[in-house]
Amino acid sequence: MVTLATDRAADGRGEAVYEGVNRLGRDEVTLRLHRGGGDLFTLERQLVRAGGVTLTQVFLVGAEAELHDFASADPYGDSLQSSYLALKQRYLSEARGRTVVQRPSMPGDFFDQIGEIEHCRHEAELLPIAQTVTRALGAEQYIFSWLVMDAKSGDVIEHRYLVGCDPAWLNKYIDHVWYMNDPLLEYAKRNATPVLSSRLDLYNDVHWLTEAATHGFRNNLVCPVHAGTNSVVVMLQASNADRTAAGEGILWRNRRHLRALACELLDWRLAGLQQQATSQFGLSGEEMNVLRLVHAGGTASNVAEALQVSVKTVYGVVYPRINNKMGKPNINKAAAMAVSCGLIK
């Protein structure tokens, strides 16, 4: 195991005040502590598997005990002990003497509460709202998943989870690679309407979802939302542990509100990616229009006509300039990246 700790500024996820990179065999686990303002912090645990699949959990930290619970639930906890200790010490140092930020009381209407999401600067501010709304709608736990799929195979190559559940469960789910055999995820890839997990066919009689129930995921409502591209899917899973039919009933009755929450979380994520990509690539409005044309199936002739230049100029100047800015070998890959970054739809 190799551990590397650094302090650096980060993107819209908040300032990264700690980062520890740990190489464990063929896997790599990175722990980050982000400060989102006041007493708001998030723990980001990113696992990059040997095959290249990336799985990132974002967990709200409001007390030292929550860090302890997360570390205790980590299947790599023993190997990551020094990194978790350093992160905890940094958290205590950063949190000491800081002013506690009291979020303004939100209106009782669910849509008004969901509307607060667009004003969030960081995920640390986003998570409490998601928790408040889901609990008010009958869900004791939730997981919001951002999934990026390989265009050719359809396999999910990047998972990002906003965690509003028992960290022991999500760590177990990831460690056992259950995302490769998840009927909720398979449903979300192909559908856009909410569904209860009890209405889905499981792959066999002894499925791991029965174990999920022991962690409070007895009743599950899945709300898929698609981002306008086949390569990105998001899914809100809202769950409770009620053993009666009322547990499913309240989730189903509130499915429209929960789906609205999922849509708003998606919009927030896309807006952040677009802002980040705009700053990173420095594309002009004209270049963005070129990418839109290419993504829509436009040819070099269509681009030349739109820009009032020759096709030779498109191939020799326009495309190479965009490719260089985006670090891609050809314009089709540049357009695909622009879609995944939320720059174009």
Side-chain angles (χ1 to χ4, degrees):
M1 179 187 74
V2 179
T3 300
L4 170 66
T6 61
D7 295 328
R8 62 174 175 78
D11 54 21
R13 298 167 188 168
E15 179 188 0
V17 295
Y18 174 82
E19 179 176 287
V21 182
N22 306 268
R23 294 178 180 88
L24 309 174
R26 299 179 64 196
D27 293 342
E28 182 177 280
V29 179
T30 301
L31 300 176
R32 299 185 183 94
L33 180 68
H34 292 277
R35 180 173 56 201
D39 67 334
L40 298 173
F41 293 86
T42 54
L43 167 62
E44 182 181 272
R45 179 190 187 271
Q46 182 179 81
L47 168 65
V48 180
R49 293 200 181 277
V53 176
T54 301
L55 302 110
T56 304
Q57 302 175 58
V58 182
F59 182 77
L60 187 68
V61 179
E64 180 184 352
E66 292 174 340
L67 281 177
H68 174 77
D69 291 344
F70 191 96
S72 298
D74 193 325
Y76 289 142
D78 290 341
S79 299
L80 298 174
Q81 186 174 11
S82 61
S83 194
Y84 272 118
L85 178 60
L87 186 148
K88 183 183 75 170
Q89 291 173 340
R90 189 56 189 263
Y91 168 72
L92 294 175
S93 174
E94 290 288 329
R96 188 180 301 117
R98 294 183 64 83
T99 302
V100 176
V101 176
Q102 297 291 341
R103 292 193 60 82
S105 58
M106 292 183 289
D109 182 84
F110 299 131
F111 287 108
D112 287 343
Q113 295 183 37
I114 293 170
E116 291 291 317
I117 288 175
E118 67 176 319
H119 303 300
C120 293
R121 297 168 299 165
H122 312 296
E123 288 170 326
E125 297 175 342
L126 188 72
L127 285 160
I129 294 179
Q131 183 179 68
T132 297
V133 172
T134 51
R135 287 184 175 177
L137 295 172
E140 296 159 357
Q141 302 189 83
Y142 75 89
I143 302 172
F144 178 74
S145 307
W146 169 274
L147 309 163
V148 179
M149 295 180 290
D150 182 87
K152 293 183 178 179
S153 68
D155 295 334
V156 181
I157 56 176
E158 180 182 342
H159 306 243
R160 186 173 182 83
Y161 305 103
L162 297 187
V163 184
C165 70
D166 177 4
W169 165 246
L170 192 52
N171 273 313
K172 182 180 292 186
Y173 173 88
I174 291 172
D175 187 50
H176 286 75
V177 200
W178 282 333
Y179 52 85
M180 296 293 291
N181 183 29
D182 189 342
L184 281 61
L185 176 54
E186 291 304 313
Y187 175 85
K189 287 180 183 179
R190 298 170 175 81
N191 298 274
T193 55
V195 69
L196 293 166
S197 60
S198 63
R199 299 180 184 177
L200 297 176
D201 292 329
L202 303 184
Y203 298 125
N204 52 58
D205 293 335
V206 186
H207 196 272
W208 55 260
L209 277 177
T210 58
E211 184 172 346
T214 67
H215 291 268
F217 288 82
R218 185 171 298 279
N219 305 301
N220 305 285
L221 180 77
V222 179
C223 296
V225 184
H226 294 252
T229 167
N230 293 331
S231 63
V232 177
V233 173
V234 300
M235 179 177 75
L236 175 66
Q237 179 184 350
S239 309
N240 64 45
D242 196 324
R243 294 178 178 273
T244 70
E248 273 200 340
I250 189 171
L251 293 175
W252 185 247
R253 287 195 300 275
N254 289 324
R255 65 190 183 278
R256 295 180 181 86
H257 295 304
L258 288 165
R259 189 174 189 279
L261 172 62
C263 290
E264 196 66 26
L265 290 171
L266 169 61
D267 288 347
W268 186 88
R269 173 74 171 154
L270 288 174
L273 287 174
Q274 182 176 16
Q275 181 179 359
Q276 182 183 350
T278 300
S279 174
Q280 177 183 352
F281 300 126
L283 296 169
S284 67
E286 182 178 89
E287 290 166 338
M288 295 275 283
N289 287 333
V290 170
L291 288 169
R292 290 189 187 95
L293 271 173
V294 172
H295 176 60
T299 65
S301 296
N302 299 136
V303 173
E305 182 180 355
L307 300 183
Q308 296 184 337
V309 298
S310 68
V311 172
K312 183 178 179 180
T313 298
V314 171
Y315 280 120
V317 178
V318 178
Y319 284 175
R321 185 173 61 223
I322 295 173
N323 294 337
N324 288 336
K325 285 185 176 182
M326 302 191 72
K328 291 299 176 182
N330 60 63
I331 197 64
N332 290 320
K333 290 187 176 180
M337 172 178 272
V339 173
S340 65
C341 291
L343 281 172
I344 62 174
K345 297 181 180 179

Coordinates of all heavy atoms in Angstrom, one line a residue, residues 247-322:
G247 N -45.6 0.9 3.9 CA -44.3 1.3 3.5 C -44.1 1.6 2.0 O -43.6 2.6 1.6
E248 N -44.5 0.6 1.2 CA -44.5 0.8 -0.2 C -45.5 1.8 -0.7 O -45.3 2.6 -1.6 CB -44.8 -0.5 -0.9 CG -43.6 -1.4 -1.2 CD -43.9 -2.4 -2.3 OE1 -45.1 -2.7 -2.6 OE2 -42.9 -2.9 -2.8
G249 N -46.7 1.8 0.0 CA -47.7 2.7 -0.4 C -47.4 4.2 -0.3 O -47.6 5.0 -1.3
I250 N -46.7 4.6 0.7 CA -46.3 6.0 0.9 C -45.3 6.4 -0.2 O -45.3 7.5 -0.7 CB -45.8 6.3 2.3 CG1 -45.7 7.9 2.4 CG2 -44.5 5.6 2.6 CD1 -45.4 8.3 3.9
L251 N -44.3 5.5 -0.5 CA -43.4 5.8 -1.5 C -44.0 6.0 -2.9 O -43.7 6.9 -3.7 CB -42.3 4.7 -1.6 CG -41.4 4.6 -0.4 CD1 -40.5 3.3 -0.6 CD2 -40.5 5.8 -0.2
W252 N -45.0 5.1 -3.2 CA -45.7 5.1 -4.5 C -46.5 6.4 -4.6 O -46.6 7.0 -5.7 CB -46.5 3.9 -4.7 CG -47.1 3.8 -6.0 CD1 -48.4 3.9 -6.3 CD2 -46.4 3.7 -7.3 NE1 -48.6 3.8 -7.7 CE2 -47.4 3.6 -8.3 CE3 -45.1 3.5 -7.6 CZ2 -47.1 3.5 -9.6 CZ3 -44.8 3.4 -9.0 CH2 -45.7 3.4 -10.0
R253 N -47.2 6.7 -3.5 CA -48.1 7.9 -3.6 C -47.2 9.2 -3.8 O -47.7 10.2 -4.4 CB -48.9 8.1 -2.3 CG -50.0 7.1 -2.2 CD -51.0 7.5 -1.1 NE -50.3 7.6 0.2 CZ -50.1 6.6 1.1 NH1 -50.5 5.4 0.7 NH2 -49.5 6.7 2.2
N254 N -46.0 9.2 -3.3 CA -45.1 10.3 -3.4 C -44.1 10.3 -4.6 O -43.2 11.0 -4.7 CB -44.3 10.5 -2.1 CG -45.2 11.0 -1.0 OD1 -46.2 11.8 -1.2 ND2 -45.0 10.5 0.2
R255 N -44.4 9.3 -5.5 CA -43.4 9.1 -6.6 C -43.2 10.4 -7.5 O -42.1 10.6 -7.9 CB -43.9 7.9 -7.5 CG -45.2 8.2 -8.2 CD -45.7 6.9 -8.9 NE -46.9 7.0 -9.7 CZ -48.1 7.1 -9.2 NH1 -48.3 7.0 -7.9 NH2 -49.1 7.2 -10.0
R256 N -44.2 11.2 -7.7 CA -44.1 12.3 -8.5 C -43.2 13.4 -7.8 O -42.3 14.0 -8.5 CB -45.4 13.0 -8.9 CG -46.3 12.0 -9.7 CD -47.6 12.7 -10.0 NE -48.4 11.8 -10.8 CZ -49.2 10.8 -10.3 NH1 -49.3 10.7 -9.0 NH2 -50.0 10.1 -11.1
H257 N -43.3 13.5 -6.5 CA -42.4 14.5 -5.8 C -41.0 13.9 -5.8 O -40.0 14.7 -6.0 CB -42.9 14.6 -4.4 CG -44.3 15.3 -4.2 ND1 -44.5 16.5 -4.8 CD2 -45.4 14.9 -3.6 CE1 -45.8 16.8 -4.5 NE2 -46.3 15.8 -3.8
L258 N -40.8 12.6 -5.6 CA -39.5 12.1 -5.6 C -38.8 12.1 -6.9 O -37.6 12.4 -7.0 CB -39.6 10.6 -5.1 CG -39.9 10.5 -3.6 CD1 -40.3 9.0 -3.2 CD2 -38.7 10.9 -2.7
R259 N -39.6 11.9 -8.0 CA -39.1 12.1 -9.3 C -38.7 13.5 -9.6 O -37.7 13.8 -10.3 CB -40.1 11.6 -10.4 CG -39.5 11.5 -11.8 CD -40.4 10.9 -12.8 NE -39.7 10.7 -14.1 CZ -39.5 11.6 -15.0 NH1 -39.9 12.8 -14.8 NH2 -38.8 11.3 -16.1
A260 N -39.5 14.5 -9.1 CA -39.1 15.9 -9.3 C -37.8 16.2 -8.6 O -36.9 16.9 -9.1 CB -40.2 16.8 -8.7
L261 N -37.6 15.6 -7.4 CA -36.3 15.7 -6.7 C -35.1 15.1 -7.6 O -34.1 15.8 -7.7 CB -36.3 15.0 -5.4 CG -35.0 14.9 -4.6 CD1 -34.5 16.3 -4.2 CD2 -35.2 14.0 -3.3
A262 N -35.4 14.0 -8.2 CA -34.3 13.4 -9.0 C -34.0 14.3 -10.2 O -32.8 14.4 -10.6 CB -34.8 12.0 -9.5
C263 N -35.0 14.9 -10.8 CA -34.8 15.7 -11.9 C -34.0 17.0 -11.5 O -33.1 17.4 -12.3 CB -36.1 16.2 -12.5 SG -37.0 14.9 -13.4
E264 N -34.3 17.5 -10.4 CA -33.6 18.7 -9.9 C -32.1 18.4 -9.6 O -31.2 19.2 -9.8 CB -34.3 19.3 -8.7 CG -33.9 20.8 -8.4 CD -34.3 21.7 -9.5 OE1 -35.3 21.5 -10.2 OE2 -33.6 22.8 -9.6
L265 N -31.9 17.2 -9.0 CA -30.5 16.8 -8.7 C -29.7 16.6 -10.0 O -28.6 17.0 -10.0 CB -30.5 15.5 -7.9 CG -31.1 15.6 -6.4 CD1 -31.2 14.2 -5.8 CD2 -30.1 16.4 -5.6
L266 N -30.4 16.1 -11.0 CA -29.7 15.9 -12.3 C -29.4 17.3 -12.9 O -28.3 17.5 -13.3 CB -30.6 15.2 -13.2 CG -30.2 15.2 -14.7 CD1 -28.8 14.5 -14.9 CD2 -31.2 14.5 -15.6
D267 N -30.3 18.2 -12.9 CA -30.1 19.6 -13.4 C -29.0 20.3 -12.7 O -28.1 20.9 -13.3 CB -31.4 20.4 -13.3 CG -32.5 20.0 -14.3 OD1 -32.2 19.2 -15.2 OD2 -33.6 20.4 -14.1
W268 N -28.9 20.1 -11.4 CA -27.8 20.7 -10.6 C -26.5 20.1 -11.0 O -25.5 20.9 -11.2 CB -28.1 20.5 -9.1 CG -27.1 21.2 -8.2 CD1 -27.2 22.4 -7.7 CD2 -25.9 20.7 -7.7 NE1 -26.1 22.7 -6.9 CE2 -25.3 21.7 -6.9 CE3 -25.2 19.4 -7.9 CZ2 -24.1 21.5 -6.2 CZ3 -24.0 19.3 -7.2 CH2 -23.4 20.3 -6.4
R269 N -26.4 18.8 -11.2 CA -25.2 18.2 -11.6 C -24.8 18.6 -13.0 O -23.6 18.9 -13.2 CB -25.4 16.7 -11.5 CG -24.2 15.8 -12.0 CD -23.1 15.8 -11.1 NE -22.1 14.9 -11.5 CZ -20.8 14.9 -11.2 NH1 -20.3 15.9 -10.5 NH2 -19.9 14.0 -11.7
L270 N -25.7 18.7 -13.9 CA -25.4 19.1 -15.3 C -24.9 20.5 -15.3 O -24.0 20.8 -16.1 CB -26.6 18.9 -16.2 CG -27.0 17.4 -16.5 CD1 -28.3 17.4 -17.3 CD2 -25.9 16.7 -17.3
A271 N -25.5 21.4 -14.6 CA -25.1 22.8 -14.6 C -23.7 22.9 -14.0 O -22.9 23.7 -14.6 CB -26.1 23.6 -13.7
G272 N -23.4 22.1 -13.0 CA -22.0 22.2 -12.5 C -21.0 21.7 -13.5 O -19.9 22.3 -13.6
L273 N -21.3 20.6 -14.2 CA -20.4 20.0 -15.2 C -20.2 21.0 -16.3 O -19.1 21.2 -16.8 CB -20.9 18.7 -15.7 CG -20.8 17.5 -14.7 CD1 -21.5 16.3 -15.4 CD2 -19.4 17.2 -14.4
Q274 N -21.3 21.7 -16.7 CA -21.2 22.6 -17.8 C -20.3 23.8 -17.4 O -19.5 24.2 -18.2 CB -22.6 23.1 -18.2 CG -22.6 24.1 -19.4 CD -24.0 24.5 -19.8 OE1 -24.9 24.3 -19.1 NE2 -24.1 25.0 -21.0
Q275 N -20.5 24.3 -16.2 CA -19.7 25.4 -15.8 C -18.2 25.0 -15.7 O -17.3 25.8 -16.1 CB -20.2 25.9 -14.4 CG -19.4 27.1 -13.8 CD -19.9 27.5 -12.5 OE1 -20.9 26.9 -11.9 NE2 -19.3 28.5 -11.9
Q276 N -17.9 23.8 -15.2 CA -16.6 23.4 -15.1 C -15.9 23.2 -16.5 O -14.8 23.6 -16.7 CB -16.5 22.1 -14.3 CG -15.1 21.5 -14.1 CD -15.2 20.1 -13.4 OE1 -16.2 19.7 -12.9 NE2 -14.0 19.5 -13.3
A277 N -16.7 22.6 -17.4 CA -16.2 22.3 -18.7 C -15.9 23.6 -19.5 O -15.0 23.7 -20.2 CB -17.1 21.4 -19.5
T278 N -16.8 24.5 -19.3 CA -16.7 25.8 -20.0 C -15.4 26.5 -19.6 O -14.7 27.0 -20.5 CB -17.9 26.7 -19.7 OG1 -19.1 26.1 -20.2 CG2 -17.8 28.1 -20.4
S279 N -15.1 26.5 -18.3 CA -13.9 27.1 -17.8 C -12.7 26.3 -18.3 O -11.6 26.9 -18.6 CB -14.0 27.1 -16.3 OG -12.7 27.6 -15.8
Q280 N -12.8 25.0 -18.3 CA -11.6 24.1 -18.6 C -11.2 24.2 -20.0 O -10.0 24.3 -20.3 CB -12.0 22.7 -18.2 CG -10.9 21.7 -18.6 CD -11.3 20.2 -18.3 OE1 -12.3 20.0 -17.7 NE2 -10.5 19.3 -18.7
F281 N -12.2 24.2 -21.0 CA -11.9 24.1 -22.4 C -11.8 25.4 -23.1 O -11.1 25.5 -24.1 CB -12.9 23.2 -23.1 CG -12.9 21.8 -22.5 CD1 -14.1 21.2 -22.1 CD2 -11.8 21.0 -22.4 CE1 -14.2 19.9 -21.6 CE2 -11.8 19.7 -21.9 CZ -13.0 19.2 -21.5
G282 N -12.4 26.4 -22.5 CA -12.4 27.8 -23.1 C -12.9 27.8 -24.6 O -12.4 28.5 -25.4
L283 N -14.0 27.1 -24.8 CA -14.6 27.1 -26.1 C -15.4 28.4 -26.4 O -16.1 28.9 -25.5 CB -15.5 25.9 -26.3 CG -14.9 24.5 -26.2 CD1 -15.9 23.4 -26.1 CD2 -14.0 24.3 -27.4
S284 N -15.3 28.9 -27.6 CA -16.1 30.0 -28.0 C -17.6 29.6 -28.3 O -17.8 28.4 -28.5 CB -15.5 30.7 -29.2 OG -15.6 29.8 -30.4
G285 N -18.5 30.5 -28.4 CA -19.8 30.2 -28.8 C -19.9 29.6 -30.2 O -20.7 28.7 -30.4
E286 N -19.1 30.0 -31.1 CA -19.0 29.4 -32.4 C -18.6 28.0 -32.4 O -19.2 27.1 -33.1 CB -18.1 30.2 -33.3 CG -18.0 29.8 -34.7 CD -17.1 30.6 -35.6 OE1 -15.9 30.3 -35.6 OE2 -17.6 31.6 -36.2
E287 N -17.6 27.7 -31.6 CA -17.1 26.3 -31.4 C -18.1 25.4 -30.8 O -18.3 24.2 -31.1 CB -15.8 26.3 -30.6 CG -14.6 26.9 -31.4 CD -13.4 27.2 -30.6 OE1 -13.6 27.4 -29.3 OE2 -12.3 27.3 -31.1
M288 N -18.9 25.9 -29.8 CA -20.0 25.2 -29.2 C -21.0 24.8 -30.3 O -21.5 23.7 -30.3 CB -20.6 26.0 -28.1 CG -19.7 26.3 -26.9 SD -19.6 25.0 -25.7 CE -21.2 25.3 -24.9
N289 N -21.3 25.8 -31.1 CA -22.3 25.5 -32.2 C -21.8 24.4 -33.1 O -22.6 23.6 -33.6 CB -22.6 26.8 -33.0 CG -23.5 27.7 -32.2 OD1 -24.2 27.3 -31.3 ND2 -23.4 29.0 -32.5
V290 N -20.5 24.4 -33.4 CA -19.9 23.3 -34.3 C -20.1 22.0 -33.6 O -20.5 21.0 -34.3 CB -18.4 23.6 -34.5 CG1 -17.8 22.4 -35.2 CG2 -18.2 24.9 -35.4
L291 N -19.9 21.9 -32.3 CA -20.0 20.6 -31.6 C -21.5 20.2 -31.6 O -21.8 19.0 -31.7 CB -19.5 20.8 -30.2 CG -18.0 20.9 -30.0 CD1 -17.7 21.3 -28.6 CD2 -17.4 19.6 -30.4
R292 N -22.4 21.1 -31.5 CA -23.8 20.8 -31.6 C -24.2 20.2 -32.9 O -25.0 19.3 -33.1 CB -24.7 22.0 -31.3 CG -24.6 22.5 -29.8 CD -25.7 23.6 -29.5 NE -25.5 24.1 -28.2 CZ -24.8 25.2 -27.9 NH1 -24.2 25.9 -28.9 NH2 -24.7 25.6 -26.7
L293 N -23.7 20.8 -34.0 CA -23.9 20.4 -35.3 C -23.4 18.9 -35.5 O -24.1 18.1 -36.1 CB -23.3 21.3 -36.4 CG -24.1 22.5 -36.9 CD1 -23.2 23.4 -37.7 CD2 -25.3 22.0 -37.7
V294 N -22.2 18.7 -35.0 CA -21.6 17.4 -35.2 C -22.4 16.4 -34.4 O -22.6 15.2 -34.9 CB -20.1 17.4 -34.7 CG1 -19.5 16.0 -34.7 CG2 -19.3 18.3 -35.6
H295 N -22.7 16.7 -33.2 CA -23.5 15.8 -32.4 C -24.9 15.4 -33.0 O -25.3 14.3 -32.9 CB -23.7 16.4 -31.0 CG -24.6 15.5 -30.1 ND1 -24.3 14.2 -29.7 CD2 -25.8 15.8 -29.5 CE1 -25.2 13.8 -28.9 NE2 -26.1 14.7 -28.8
A296 N -25.4 16.4 -33.7 CA -26.7 16.2 -34.4 C -26.6 15.4 -35.7 O -27.6 15.2 -36.4 CB -27.4 17.5 -34.6
G297 N -25.3 15.1 -36.1 CA -25.1 14.3 -37.3 C -24.7 15.2 -38.5 O -24.6 14.7 -39.6
G298 N -24.4 16.4 -38.2 CA -23.9 17.3 -39.3 C -22.6 17.0 -39.8 O -21.7 16.4 -39.1
T299 N -22.4 17.2 -41.1 CA -21.1 16.9 -41.8 C -20.3 18.2 -41.8 O -20.7 19.3 -41.5 CB -21.4 16.5 -43.2 OG1 -22.0 17.6 -44.0 CG2 -22.4 15.3 -43.3
A300 N -19.0 18.0 -42.3 CA -18.1 19.1 -42.5 C -18.7 20.1 -43.4 O -18.5 21.4 -43.3 CB -16.8 18.6 -43.0
S301 N -19.5 19.7 -44.4 CA -20.2 20.6 -45.3 C -21.2 21.5 -44.6 O -21.3 22.7 -44.9 CB -20.8 19.8 -46.5 OG -19.9 19.2 -47.3
N302 N -21.9 20.8 -43.7 CA -22.9 21.6 -42.9 C -22.2 22.6 -42.0 O -22.7 23.8 -41.9 CB -23.7 20.6 -42.0 CG -24.5 19.6 -42.8 OD1 -24.5 18.4 -42.4 ND2 -25.2 20.0 -43.9
V303 N -21.1 22.2 -41.4 CA -20.4 23.2 -40.6 C -19.8 24.3 -41.4 O -19.9 25.5 -41.0 CB -19.2 22.4 -39.8 CG1 -18.3 23.4 -39.1 CG2 -19.8 21.4 -38.9
A304 N -19.3 24.0 -42.6 CA -18.7 25.0 -43.5 C -19.8 26.0 -43.9 O -19.6 27.2 -43.9 CB -18.1 24.3 -44.7
E305 N -21.0 25.5 -44.2 CA -22.1 26.4 -44.6 C -22.5 27.3 -43.4 O -22.7 28.5 -43.6 CB -23.2 25.6 -45.0 CG -24.4 26.4 -45.5 CD -25.6 25.5 -46.0 OE1 -25.4 24.3 -46.0 OE2 -26.7 26.1 -46.3
A306 N -22.5 26.7 -42.2 CA -22.9 27.5 -41.0 C -21.9 28.6 -40.7 O -22.3 29.7 -40.3 CB -23.1 26.6 -39.8
L307 N -20.6 28.3 -40.9 CA -19.6 29.3 -40.6 C -19.2 30.1 -41.7 O -18.4 31.1 -41.6 CB -18.3 28.5 -40.1 CG -18.5 27.6 -38.8 CD1 -17.1 27.0 -38.4 CD2 -19.1 28.4 -37.6
Q308 N -19.7 29.8 -42.9 CA -19.4 30.5 -44.2 C -17.9 30.4 -44.4 O -17.2 31.5 -44.7 CB -19.9 32.0 -44.1 CG -21.4 32.1 -44.0 CD -21.9 33.5 -44.0 OE1 -21.2 34.4 -43.7 NE2 -23.2 33.7 -44.4
V309 N -17.4 29.2 -44.3 CA -16.0 29.0 -44.7 C -15.9 27.8 -45.6 O -17.0 27.1 -45.8 CB -15.1 28.7 -43.4 CG1 -15.1 30.0 -42.5 CG2 -15.6 27.5 -42.7
S310 N -14.8 27.4 -46.1 CA -14.6 26.2 -46.9 C -14.6 25.0 -46.1 O -14.2 25.0 -44.9 CB -13.4 26.3 -47.8 OG -12.2 26.2 -47.0
V311 N -14.9 23.8 -46.7 CA -14.8 22.5 -46.1 C -13.3 22.3 -45.7 O -13.0 21.7 -44.6 CB -15.3 21.4 -47.0 CG1 -15.0 20.0 -46.4 CG2 -16.8 21.5 -47.2
K312 N -12.4 22.7 -46.5 CA -10.9 22.6 -46.2 C -10.6 23.3 -44.9 O -9.8 22.8 -44.1 CB -10.1 23.1 -47.4 CG -8.6 23.0 -47.2 CD -7.9 23.5 -48.4 CE -6.4 23.3 -48.2 NZ -5.6 23.8 -49.4
T313 N -11.2 24.5 -44.7 CA -10.9 25.2 -43.5 C -11.5 24.5 -42.3 O -10.9 24.5 -41.2 CB -11.5 26.6 -43.6 OG1 -10.9 27.3 -44.6 CG2 -11.3 27.4 -42.3
V314 N -12.6 23.9 -42.4 CA -13.3 23.1 -41.3 C -12.3 22.0 -40.9 O -12.0 21.8 -39.7 CB -14.6 22.5 -41.8 CG1 -15.1 21.6 -40.7 CG2 -15.6 23.7 -42.0
Y315 N -11.8 21.2 -41.9 CA -10.9 20.1 -41.6 C -9.5 20.6 -41.1 O -8.9 19.9 -40.2 CB -10.8 19.2 -42.8 CG -11.9 18.2 -43.0 CD1 -12.7 18.3 -44.2 CD2 -12.2 17.3 -42.0 CE1 -13.7 17.4 -44.3 CE2 -13.3 16.4 -42.2 CZ -14.0 16.4 -43.4 OH -15.1 15.6 -43.6
G316 N -9.1 21.7 -41.7 CA -7.7 22.1 -41.4 C -7.5 23.0 -40.2 O -6.5 23.1 -39.6
V317 N -8.6 23.8 -39.9 CA -8.5 24.8 -38.8 C -9.6 24.6 -37.7 O -9.2 24.5 -36.5 CB -8.7 26.2 -39.4 CG1 -8.6 27.2 -38.3 CG2 -7.6 26.5 -40.5
V318 N -10.9 24.5 -38.1 CA -11.9 24.5 -37.1 C -11.9 23.2 -36.2 O -11.8 23.3 -35.0 CB -13.3 24.6 -37.8 CG1 -14.4 24.6 -36.7 CG2 -13.4 25.9 -38.6
Y319 N -11.9 22.1 -36.9 CA -11.9 20.8 -36.1 C -10.6 20.7 -35.3 O -10.7 20.3 -34.1 CB -12.1 19.6 -37.1 CG -13.5 19.4 -37.6 CD1 -13.7 18.4 -38.5 CD2 -14.5 20.2 -37.1 CE1 -15.0 18.2 -39.0 CE2 -15.8 20.0 -37.6 CZ -16.0 19.0 -38.6 OH -17.3 18.8 -39.0
P320 N -9.4 20.9 -35.9 CA -8.2 20.7 -35.0 C -8.2 21.7 -33.8 O -7.7 21.3 -32.8 CB -7.1 21.1 -36.0 CG -7.6 20.7 -37.4 CD -9.1 21.1 -37.3
R321 N -8.7 22.9 -34.0 CA -8.7 23.8 -32.9 C -9.5 23.3 -31.7 O -9.1 23.4 -30.5 CB -9.1 25.2 -33.3 CG -9.0 26.3 -32.3 CD -9.4 27.6 -32.8 NE -10.7 27.7 -33.4 CZ -11.0 28.2 -34.6 NH1 -10.1 28.8 -35.3 NH2 -12.3 28.2 -35.0
I322 N -10.7 22.8 -32.1 CA -11.6 22.3 -31.0 C -11.0 21.0 -30.4 O -11.0 20.8 -29.2 CB -13.0 21.9 -31.6 CG1 -13.7 23.2 -32.1 CG2 -13.9 21.2 -30.6 CD1 -15.0 23.0 -32.8

